[in-house]
Amino acid sequence: MHTKTLSELKTGLAKAEFSSVELTEYYLQRIERHNPDLNCFITTTAELARKLAIEADQKRKKGDAGSLNGIPIAHKDIFCTEGVRTSCGSRMLDNFIAPYESTVTAKLAQAGVVMLGKTNMDEFAMGSSNETSFYGPVKNPWDFERVPGGSSGGSAAAVAARLAPATTGTDTGGSIRQPASLCNVTGLKPTYGRVSRYGMIAFASSLDQGGPMAATAEDCALLLNVMAGLDAKDSTSVDLPVPDYSANLNKSIKGLKIGLPKQFFDSGLDQNVARSIQQALDEYKVAGAKLMEIDLPNMPLSVPAYYVVAPAECSSNLSRFDGVRYGYRVSDPQDLEDMYKRSRGEGFGAEVKRRIMIGTYALSAGYYDAYYKKAQQLRRLISDDFKQAFTKVDVIMGPASPTTAFKIGEKSDDPVAMYLSDIYTIAVNLAGLPGITIPAGFVQGLPTGLQIIGKHFDEARLLNVAHQYQQRTDWHQQVPNIFK
Ligand code: GLN
């Protein structure tokens, strides 16, 4: 059952080959059996899932089934889910039961999905390895000594091990695309504004974007059909019609113009990963696409620009966690100031504190122009580079990560080395563009991922271009032996 894609499961449910109750029970058992090894779930919601599955089966009998009726999926623990703990991977929210539902999870629930639980993540989505989670690191299903990537590492590992047919993730600087690459999963970061951020705990509001993670681009299309669209509760969501992403998957890619940024293939890229990406590009050539080198001269400045903008926004967003209204509060404060200080001091982990300090510094009087304003100017230059490139090409391709999955602990004491693992993904967020990672092969038993970047709101094309590759290859079907 777990080797079936979401799309196949949808067909199976429609043909009554199995019920949602059976399917849900099957996945709950897989989670129970394998999660102790992987730690990809923070919370499982078995009772709720069983109830939702019964309701889904009843709805189907009544002829009232939504597009994803009865399909079990899991949500990154950054999406507020009413009545269910929403921790954001932090001690700060370990006791937080969300009093309302995020738009993404509400829309998926409306379409009939059955929530299996909440997946592990880096604390407040800050990280590239899942090691900053209060709930401990997630193991990469391909090698338990290695990281799954981050921050949506739990979501990526759950799909890679087929503990859920699909999951939701969020991507501020690469958190869907990088773990997808390290785990052999397909993950789409939509255009900024395509998917509502309402109820998605904010890290860096001008960069954050939720998106789907699944085995295939076809499955991501099914999920994006439901997740996308204007939301009155998020003023940055965009009022553009949502195309039927599934209907757009079978267009020919003959003559597709693919840009290869020379900055993506420089000395920082592992040579084995480079070879694997090259093979994927060759496959596109065989399919009739045209490859050409492009220049994104300001791309190397994306990491420094991001590590001013993202901490600045996080220092503001995370000021709400003060021990007063919700979340962690010390039990024996001496006075108000002591309560603030120790609640935040004990509630947040080291990486979150580092970011709050950097952000507060960058925004402080006298430094604002030197850091924050400068970073915003770089951001514009980076966006302009992409704009220029897209006058010549339809999509841009390259790696999603400079290496395959690294060892747990390998980079955790070196924040800058960790920050560089997002060197190929961050510019995309700064420019607000959509990007997708698809499985592209293996290097010494570890997966690699090809990243495809598109113009604003060109998700339909990205999914089509990804799907065409998946029609010609079977990397996306590979599952680690122990999870077969
Ligand atoms: N790794 C990056 C960071 O730590 C990106 C995280 C993300 O996309 N949420 O900020």
Side-chain angles (χ1 to χ4, degrees):
M1 193 92 98
H2 59 275
T3 53
K4 287 189 167 46
T5 63
L6 186 153
S7 162
E8 289 163 349
L9 292 174
K10 180 172 147 76
T11 309
L13 284 166
K15 288 193 183 154
E17 284 166 14
F18 42 83
S19 66
S20 176
V21 167
E22 285 162 345
L23 187 59
T24 300
E25 204 54 55
Y26 179 83
Y27 276 102
L28 287 173
Q29 275 171 27
R30 270 185 83 74
I31 294 169
E32 199 172 294
R33 178 154 148 233
H34 294 294
N35 191 52
D37 284 334
L38 294 173
N39 195 30
C40 54
F41 280 84
I42 291 175
T43 305
T44 47
T45 48
E47 284 320 305
L48 176 64
R50 290 187 179 109
K51 187 177 139 251
L52 291 171
I54 292 170
E55 283 172 18
D57 286 336
Q58 283 166 350
K59 276 200 178 151
R60 189 173 297 279
K61 268 198 202 111
K62 277 197 250 146
D64 182 21
S67 69
L68 298 176
N69 191 69
I71 304 269
I73 75 167
H75 293 301
K76 184 175 183 180
D77 206 15
I78 197 169
F79 288 100
C80 284
T81 40
E82 191 177 352
V84 174
R85 174 169 67 162
T86 301
S87 75
C88 219
S90 182
R91 182 182 193 191
M92 184 57 90
L93 291 177
D94 182 46
N95 63 2
F96 177 62
I97 309 291
Y100 68 105
E101 191 78 18
S102 78
T103 296
V104 161
T105 53
K107 280 184 156 186
L108 287 165
Q110 192 66 36
V113 306
V114 170
M115 178 171 79
L116 294 167
K118 308 291 294 285
T119 58
N120 204 344
M121 55 180 285
D122 279 297
E123 186 178 7
F124 285 102
M126 298 174 197
S128 311
S129 66
N130 231 285
E131 291 165 290
T132 71
S133 170
F134 174 60
Y135 302 91
V138 174
K139 313 283 169 55
N140 188 311
W142 294 92
D143 178 347
F144 291 175
E145 286 180 10
R146 290 174 190 271
V147 305
S151 65
S152 311
S155 290
V159 173
R162 303 295 191 258
L163 304 194
T167 52
T168 52
T170 63
D171 190 313
T172 304
S175 278
I176 288 177
R177 291 161 290 150
Q178 185 257 17
S181 177
L182 271 44
C183 288
N184 205 50
V185 162
T186 303
L188 172 71
K189 178 240 173 243
T191 308
Y192 183 77
R194 178 78 289 188
V195 169
S196 169
R197 289 182 297 110
Y198 178 76
M200 205 175 97
I201 295 173
F203 161 14
S205 310
S206 76
L207 301 161
D208 297 341
Q209 187 63 199
M213 304 179 82
T216 65
E218 186 182 20
D219 291 353
C220 286
L222 284 169
L223 291 158
L224 190 64
N225 280 340
V226 175
M227 293 166 77
L230 177 70
D231 178 11
K233 294 177 186 147
D234 172 5
S235 61
T236 61
S237 71
V238 173
D239 189 7
L240 277 179
V242 178
D244 181 344
Y245 296 106
S246 304
N248 271 297
L249 292 174
N250 287 314
K251 296 208 169 123
S252 162
I253 55 167
K254 230 189 191 118
L256 178 82
K257 284 181 264 162
I258 301 176
L260 308 173
K262 55 180 180 210
Q263 290 80 4
F264 275 39
F265 297 89
D266 61 11
S267 55
L269 179 61
D270 177 280
Q271 283 314 298
N272 292 318
V273 175
R275 258 194 296 280
S276 169
I277 297 299
Q278 193 51 54
Q279 277 164 15
L281 296 173
D282 290 345
E283 193 63 52
Y284 276 104
K285 225 190 279 173
V286 174
K290 293 199 187 77
L291 276 54
M292 62 189 88
E293 187 179 89
I294 56 163
D295 194 10
L296 299 175
N298 294 292
M299 210 281 294
L301 298 172
S302 59
V303 173
Y306 174 89
Y307 278 98
V308 171
V309 173
E313 293 183 14
C314 104
S315 72
S316 165
N317 275 325
L318 270 60
S319 65
R320 61 170 65 94
F321 302 106
D322 54 8
V324 176
R325 288 155 296 183
Y326 45 81
Y328 181 78
R329 181 193 293 179
V330 283
S331 54
D332 54 347
Q334 315 260 289
D335 53 30
L336 185 63
E337 197 172 323
D338 182 53
M339 196 277 288
Y340 285 146
K341 275 191 184 158
R342 285 201 293 126
S343 297
R344 285 171 70 80
E346 293 169 21
F348 290 136
E351 182 60 27
V352 172
K353 286 183 206 164
R354 185 177 297 124
R355 307 261 181 130
I356 292 174
M357 285 190 284
I358 296 171
T360 306
Y361 180 83
L363 290 176
S364 56
Y367 293 108
Y368 184 91
D369 284 355
Y371 295 107
Y372 190 70
K373 196 167 152 211
K374 199 75 191 165
Q376 293 290 21
Q377 287 166 338
L378 291 181
R379 189 171 182 179
R380 168 54 65 90
L381 293 176
I382 291 162
S383 281
D384 288 348
D385 282 359
F386 278 112
K387 223 181 253 164
Q388 184 61 30
F390 280 125
T391 61
K392 298 189 209 105
V393 299
D394 303 314
V395 293
I396 294 173
M397 289 190 189
S401 162
T403 62
T404 53
F406 45 92
K407 287 244 164 87
I408 293 175
E410 191 179 317
K411 296 188 186 180
S412 44
D413 293 333
D414 186 350
V416 176
M418 190 72 89
Y419 296 171
L420 288 172
S421 37
D422 295 316
I423 182 107
Y424 302 126
T425 50
I426 275 178
V428 173
N429 300 74
L430 290 170
L433 297 167
I436 188 169
T437 293
I438 54 174
F442 290 83
V443 169
Q444 284 146 12
L446 295 171
T448 63
L450 175 76
Q451 182 183 197
I452 315 169
I453 302 163
K455 298 175 193 170
H456 289 119
F457 300 100
D458 214 7
E459 287 83 0
R461 190 198 306 257
L462 287 191
L463 288 161
N464 172 219
V465 169
H467 180 69
Q468 292 307 312
Y469 179 78
Q470 292 181 337
Q471 295 297 95
R472 310 173 69 96
T473 56
D474 66 357
W475 304 120
H476 58 286
Q477 289 164 357
Q478 306 304 316
V479 178
N481 279 333
I482 31 174
F483 298 106
K484 271 184 180 152

